[in-house]
Amino acid sequence: MDSQNYHFVIDTLNKMAYHYYVLDSPIASDAEYDALYHKLKAYEEAHPDSIVPNSPTQRVGDVPLSEFSKNTHIKRMWSLDDVFDEAELEEWLKRIQKTHPYATFTCSPKFDGASLNLLYEGGLLQSATTRGNGIEGELVTQNARTIFSIPLQIPYKEQIEIRGEVLIAKDDFTSLNAQRLTDNLPLFANPRNAAAGSLRQLDSKITVKRPLRFMPWGVGAIHTQKQSFYEILKSLESFGFAPMPFLVHCTDKEEIIKTYQNLLNTRETYPLMLDGMVIMIDEMAIQEQLGWTIKSPRFACAYKFPAVEKTSIIKDIVFQVGRTGVITPVAELEPVEIEGAMIARASLHNFSEIAKKDIRIGDRVVIIRSGDVIPKIISSIHTLRDGSQVRIQPPTLCPECAQELLLEEILIKCQNLNCPARVKESLVHFASKKALNIDGLGEKIVYELFDKGLVRGILDLYKLKEEDLLKLEGWKQKRAQNLINGIKNTYGIELWRLINAFGIEHIGEGASKKLAKIFGTRVFSISEAEILGIDGFGEEMARSLCEFNHANKELIETMLEIIQPKVQQREVVLDSVFAGKNVVITGTLSAPREHFVEILEGLGAKVSSSVSSKSDYLLCGENAGSKLAKAQNLGVQILNEEDLLKLLKT
């Protein structure tokens, strides 16, 4: 081989691989491919400076990593809201068609795998990042390069994020587990877990041996003149990606349901795992107008397949105590396999649910599990009872601390703040990924440290010493150092994480971020009135936060002193026309609602969700409803976007 036909050989090998791995239609034998590949490899070993990025030799696994780096997506990866039946679908469509009656829809299969974001610049693959929390994920470029259905080079030269699912076909999964059984290795629970585990191998030489494939389903950042999401997805085929099956452009509900039924009928026989259908508004301009909620786009949903049902027998009931003290009855079942996972336990949620469904110990029950959803008992089969079944009696004493329980509407709660179960669950939450994210401090370690008397509360974590941990059975120096370092890494962490870590009732991740941004560390001393002034915050949230602040003043002060969290408080223009004013937003605007909320709050306004006599302005978009009429009756000043821009300029 010489330099003249080097590129020809690369193109030939890539074409062979595309037909084999992507189209499942080989155009050459394995022997022909291997012979040509080894010629290419020999040439590149003799001429290392000539190697080009799209050479198939660049797919071979690289040196193992010690850990994955974090990488931020250019455009956020959102999760989708689910709909489960035609009634919910119709309700979702009505919301869309109320403001956009001529919207059309792109329907595509929802694959059950591991989501991946590919970034291309200048036509070359620059990075591959897992979904993570939607904002940032783990950088797995080294592993992604080993997947033949991911092109290393595409004809599109602008910057583009291409999103899709990393999958293992059902037959490949069966073969993979058969080999692992032969090698005396643990078996994968299902194809999705196998795909996710393979993608996150620190040694890409392991990943290259796994039969992974990539199926595109969307884009993130993109420079395009195309105004149709359907056309954008179709264009990915010309980039060298696998053609998306069952991709249909629909104009109404009837076409959407027909497409869904076709996909559902194919579910069992299709070689890849499917768990529903994605419905996306096709017009890109309408997508931008509708925008996003705090966690998902308003212009798309996932129409999930019916959950797989199995039956089992309830052997016993155990009572779990959560960090808020709520007692949850959990059924211990005869193990049953559902979608590749062995199910031996299922939550019964509360005692009202048990009474309504008349569920008893010894009953044969119907269980469902859909995707990652926790197994759920939906009914008992009363006709199979033989008289040996036993009614489930709610406990009167806490199963952990033996304190008397409180009946609070449909919930039964342990009010003992020092209850071991509550403390342990609080510690687990405190260390979790969306709280302080302490590496090496999972549930098992928390329970061990608590049971050995090393940790009895949050503050004890910061008193842990390496020598304390080394006294525990099975603990070595590296493991102990890693945990101590994980705790030290919480110093200077973002304030919202600390707020969320406290586990304040009704205050989750989104609320914690908003509170930190608006109030900074003053969040621990604000009044109910100030909280209620925040858009989206209700009375229960305000009361819960204020009660927590009052009851835990000393703990909060100590934690702030230890951690000294990073505060990224929003800069507020105190002399703006909106400073101290109450603003309500309604109707469809040119950008997502959150965009205008951030602008107005940055100018000192309080954005609330309802019009009242205290409202100063109503920012009004298209198709405004009752809020506009109420504002007019109350004499509230009404602004459109043009009015807002004029005021902003002043």
Side-chain angles (χ1 to χ4, degrees):
M1 184 190 300
D2 56 29
S3 59
Q4 287 186 330
N5 63 1
Y6 170 65
H7 290 280
F8 174 77
V9 170
I10 287 174
D11 290 342
T12 303
L13 285 168
N14 284 338
K15 186 176 181 181
M16 288 177 177
Y18 177 73
H19 278 263
Y20 183 87
Y21 290 103
V22 179
L23 300 181
D24 289 325
S25 176
I27 57 172
S29 66
D30 290 350
E32 287 173 314
Y33 180 90
D34 290 342
L36 199 55
Y37 179 88
H38 286 299
K39 284 183 182 178
L40 176 73
K41 193 174 179 183
Y43 177 83
E44 289 182 341
E45 285 172 355
H47 306 86
D49 294 337
S50 301
I51 300 174
V52 295
N54 68 326
S55 169
T57 62
Q58 301 308 293
R59 293 189 180 277
V60 177
D62 212 330
V63 293
L65 301 171
S66 58
E67 61 179 8
F68 289 116
S69 303
K70 296 290 185 184
N71 191 39
T72 303
H73 307 303
I74 297 173
K75 203 167 181 181
R76 183 168 179 173
M77 292 185 77
W78 300 87
S79 56
L80 299 180
D81 287 335
D82 295 331
V83 300
F84 292 94
D85 53 42
E86 280 191 34
E88 290 184 6
L89 172 64
E90 188 167 359
E91 187 180 327
W92 182 80
L93 288 171
K94 278 181 179 176
R95 286 200 300 271
I96 301 297
Q97 290 165 343
K98 185 178 178 181
T99 53
H100 297 87
Y102 302 109
T104 61
F105 305 89
T106 296
C107 295
S108 59
K110 187 176 185 299
F111 298 104
D112 193 10
S115 294
L116 190 66
N117 185 41
L118 305 174
L119 174 64
Y120 289 85
E121 289 179 346
L124 297 177
L125 177 64
Q126 301 296 322
S127 66
T129 310
T130 62
R131 180 195 294 275
N133 62 9
I135 297 171
E136 67 171 13
E138 292 178 319
L139 197 62
V140 292
T141 314
Q142 202 165 282
N143 292 342
R145 294 177 74 88
T146 69
I147 303 173
F148 276 87
S149 46
I150 294 178
L152 300 179
Q153 187 172 23
I154 61 175
Y156 185 88
K157 301 303 179 186
E158 300 287 342
Q159 183 187 68
I160 184 173
E161 288 179 306
I162 296 173
R163 276 130 188 212
E165 212 77 359
V166 174
L167 305 157
I168 288 182
K170 295 173 186 175
D171 288 348
D172 289 336
F173 170 73
T174 302
S175 302
L176 177 62
N177 259 354
Q179 184 59 52
R180 290 179 73 81
L181 191 64
T182 302
D183 297 339
N184 201 27
L185 294 170
L187 301 185
F188 288 113
N190 50 52
R192 184 189 58 77
N193 286 359
S198 302
L199 185 61
R200 296 187 67 257
Q201 287 290 329
L202 291 170
D203 186 354
S204 57
K205 288 184 173 65
I206 296 175
T207 307
V208 76
K209 296 175 183 176
R210 303 277 170 83
L212 298 177
R213 59 180 76 189
F214 180 81
M215 186 66 72
W217 47 249
V219 293
I222 184 173
H223 301 275
T224 181
Q225 300 299 315
K226 289 185 171 67
Q227 290 304 305
S228 163
F229 183 70
Y230 177 85
E231 288 181 14
I232 290 172
L233 286 185
K234 291 295 286 183
S235 69
L236 297 183
E237 294 178 27
S238 65
F239 295 176
F241 288 96
M244 182 177 281
F246 311 107
L247 183 66
V248 181
H249 181 244
C250 299
T251 58
D252 55 31
K253 187 182 86 169
E254 285 68 32
E255 289 184 4
I256 291 172
I257 291 171
K258 182 181 177 182
T259 305
Y260 174 81
Q261 286 299 332
N262 180 41
L263 198 58
L264 181 59
N265 294 338
T266 316
R267 178 188 193 182
E268 294 301 321
T269 57
Y270 193 66
L272 300 173
M273 292 285 286
L274 305 172
D275 64 354
M277 183 176 80
V278 175
I279 306 168
M280 183 87 66
I281 288 181
D282 187 59
E283 293 77 14
M284 300 299 287
I286 298 178
Q287 287 189 17
E288 288 297 320
Q289 287 170 23
L290 287 174
W292 298 260
T293 67
I294 198 167
K295 62 175 184 177
S296 58
R298 293 190 179 96
F299 50 81
C301 68
Y303 192 176
K304 300 298 287 288
F305 287 152
V308 175
E309 294 186 3
K310 292 285 182 75
T311 67
S312 181
I313 292 174
I314 297 179
K315 297 193 297 182
D316 199 4
I317 297 292
V318 295
F319 303 114
Q320 288 186 344
V321 186
R323 62 185 171 86
T324 61
V326 173
I327 310 293
T328 302
V330 177
E332 294 194 335
L333 307 163
E334 285 187 355
V336 58
E337 185 270 334
I338 306 180
E339 291 187 315
M342 291 304 297
I343 307 301
R345 304 184 104 201
S347 171
L348 286 165
H349 302 290
N350 57 59
F351 296 95
S352 174
E353 189 84 355
I354 291 172
K356 187 168 69 176
K357 294 177 179 176
D358 187 18
I359 293 172
R360 305 178 188 182
I361 297 171
D363 267 347
R364 180 163 287 278
V365 291
V366 179
I367 309 156
I368 62 168
R369 179 179 182 270
S370 180
D372 280 336
V373 176
I374 296 168
K376 180 181 177 183
I377 293 172
I378 58 171
S379 65
S380 64
I381 307 173
H382 297 172
T383 54
L384 297 180
R385 285 180 177 165
D386 58 9
S388 65
Q389 286 71 26
V390 179
R391 290 186 183 276
I392 300 166
Q393 299 297 329
T396 55
L397 299 178
C398 175
E400 291 284 340
C401 68
Q403 293 287 315
E404 194 171 338
L405 298 173
L406 170 73
L407 178 60
E408 190 179 83
E409 295 179 358
I410 64 170
L411 301 178
I412 296 177
K413 297 178 75 172
C414 172
Q415 290 190 293
N416 177 14
L417 293 174
N418 296 315
C419 172
R422 291 191 65 175
V423 175
K424 285 191 277 191
E425 290 304 317
S426 295
L427 287 165
V428 170
H429 174 74
F430 186 82
S432 63
K433 283 189 175 182
K434 291 187 177 180
L436 289 204
N437 194 20
I438 302 176
D439 283 340
L441 191 58
E443 183 179 82
K444 287 183 180 177
I445 304 300
V446 167
Y447 279 36
E448 182 182 6
L449 297 179
F450 186 92
D451 293 340
K452 298 295 183 182
L454 290 180
V455 173
R456 289 293 176 186
I458 290 168
L459 294 177
D460 291 338
L461 291 172
Y462 294 87
K463 298 173 186 173
L464 277 176
K465 293 183 174 60
E466 193 177 309
E467 51 266 32
D468 298 329
L469 298 170
L470 292 175
K471 293 174 185 175
L472 300 175
E473 187 179 346
W475 282 74
K476 304 294 183 187
Q477 189 172 22
K478 185 176 180 182
R479 186 184 184 191
Q481 282 178 345
N482 286 344
L483 178 53
I484 298 297
N485 289 337
I487 294 168
K488 285 180 179 177
N489 287 340
T490 65
Y491 299 153
I493 207 161
E494 299 101 319
L495 174 62
W496 74 263
R497 288 187 170 276
L498 178 60
I499 300 169
N500 196 35
F502 280 137
I504 307 164
E505 202 165 4
H506 306 305
I507 305 294
E509 180 187 353
S512 297
K513 288 178 178 177
K514 201 162 191 177
L515 288 165
K517 200 168 189 180
I518 295 171
F519 298 109
T521 53
R522 200 170 70 81
V523 67
F524 298 115
S525 59
I526 53 178
S527 66
E528 283 193 34
E530 287 180 282
I531 302 167
L532 289 170
I534 308 171
D535 184 40
F537 280 66
E539 289 182 5
E540 279 191 336
M541 297 172 78
R543 185 166 55 250
S544 180
L545 177 56
C546 288
E547 285 176 359
F548 178 87
N549 289 345
H550 176 73
N552 297 279
K553 188 175 180 183
E554 202 172 305
L555 171 67
I556 292 167
E557 287 176 355
T558 306
M559 286 304 302
L560 287 174
E561 191 176 328
I562 292 172
I563 290 181
Q564 297 184 18
K566 183 166 52 183
V567 181
Q568 293 179 319
Q569 202 169 347
R570 179 182 292 148
E571 290 184 14
V572 176
V573 182
L574 297 175
D575 59 349
S576 82
V577 70
F578 290 105
K581 301 295 184 182
N582 292 303
V583 183
V584 180
I585 302 173
T586 189
T588 304
L589 299 162
S590 63
R593 171 190 172 84
E594 291 72 26
H595 169 75
F596 293 97
V597 171
E598 188 157 350
I599 290 173
L600 290 164
E601 287 181 345
L603 294 169
K606 294 178 181 178
V607 181
S608 57
S609 55
S610 58
V611 176
S612 71
S613 57
K614 294 181 180 178
S615 302
D616 296 296
Y617 296 101
L618 177 73
L619 176 58
C620 196
E622 293 178 10
N623 303 298
S626 58
K627 289 180 185 177
L628 174 58
K630 189 173 181 180
Q632 288 169 334
N633 289 336
L634 292 171
V636 175
Q637 187 171 345
I638 296 164
L639 307 174
N640 58 28
E641 281 192 61
E642 191 177 340
D643 298 328
L644 177 65
L645 288 171
K646 287 177 183 175
L647 285 170
L648 292 178
K649 287 177 182 176
T650 63

